[in-house]
Amino acid sequence: MSIATLVLGESGSGKSTSLRNLDPEKTGIIQCINKPLPFKSSGWKVELNVARTNDPVKILDILRAHNKDIIVIDDFQSVLVDEFMRRATQRGYDKFTNIRKIAWDTFNLAGALAEHSRVYILTHSHTDDNGGIHVKTVGKMVDQVITPEGYFTRLC
């Protein structure tokens, strides 16, 4: 069983910048938004240890096939938002069911990889009316069914 850690923070709080502290030889990054890393990135190379995709199926395939000690998904919330926007004209609840399934599949797999693996899922946070900090998703239709924080033994 792998160690899955959920890293929550507001936009600009340093989630992606913290990756500079990881060894590029031992780490793979799945960038869900196609943008440069926010630090000097000489050790990080697309196709070598950086994959760029927001496709949930490809993300799961990369997680299953990775050969690094550490794998990072940056920024998972964008995967949910992108799926929501791809289906913006679709009516009904099916799109929310699919988005919940994407989150559920990803969180379950993050904790079920090889024992030596560590998976970090970086995502945006949301503060509720009571001051509690939670994973920012795409709304109540997702939040009423799945509690992302419950799938992780470690939250940062």
Side-chain angles (χ1 to χ4, degrees):
M1 181 185 297
S2 50
I3 298 170
T5 302
L6 188 60
V7 181
L8 299 172
E10 296 291 326
S11 184
S13 64
K15 298 178 301 295
S16 298
T17 302
S18 70
L19 300 178
R20 70 175 172 227
N21 299 309
L22 297 174
D23 182 353
E25 298 279 326
K26 297 178 181 179
T27 306
I29 299 174
I30 302 170
Q31 277 190 307
C32 303
I33 299 174
N34 189 7
K35 63 181 182 180
L37 291 170
F39 54 88
K40 187 177 178 184
S41 56
S42 60
W44 302 101
K45 305 282 186 216
V46 175
E47 303 297 326
L48 178 64
N49 56 3
V50 177
R52 289 187 173 145
T53 185
N54 64 1
D55 180 326
V57 174
K58 288 182 182 175
I59 291 170
L60 294 175
D61 289 344
I62 292 167
L63 283 173
R64 286 185 194 102
H66 83 92
N67 61 355
K68 303 286 186 180
D69 293 337
I70 301 168
I71 190 88
V72 178
I73 300 174
D74 180 25
D75 158 3
F76 185 70
Q77 194 247 349
S78 68
V79 175
L80 303 178
V81 169
D82 291 347
E83 186 67 22
F84 179 79
M85 294 309 294
R86 280 191 284 270
R87 295 169 166 234
T89 60
Q90 181 181 349
R91 295 185 182 267
Y93 300 109
D94 288 348
K95 67 181 165 188
F96 295 105
T97 301
N98 183 258
I99 291 168
R100 286 191 300 256
K101 180 90 166 73
I102 289 167
W104 186 82
D105 287 344
T106 305
F107 299 155
N108 275 301
L109 184 57
L113 298 174
E115 193 166 319
H116 72 279
S117 297
R118 288 184 285 157
V119 180
Y120 295 97
I121 298 180
L122 283 56
T123 193
H124 289 98
S125 60
H126 165 74
T127 304
D128 66 22
D129 294 337
N130 298 320
I133 298 174
H134 305 281
V135 171
K136 186 174 184 178
T137 66
V138 291
K140 292 180 182 178
M141 298 292 289
V142 174
D143 296 342
Q144 289 175 343
V145 175
I146 188 170
T147 304
E149 299 83 4
Y151 290 84
F152 297 87
T153 54
R154 296 180 181 176
L155 300 174
C156 299

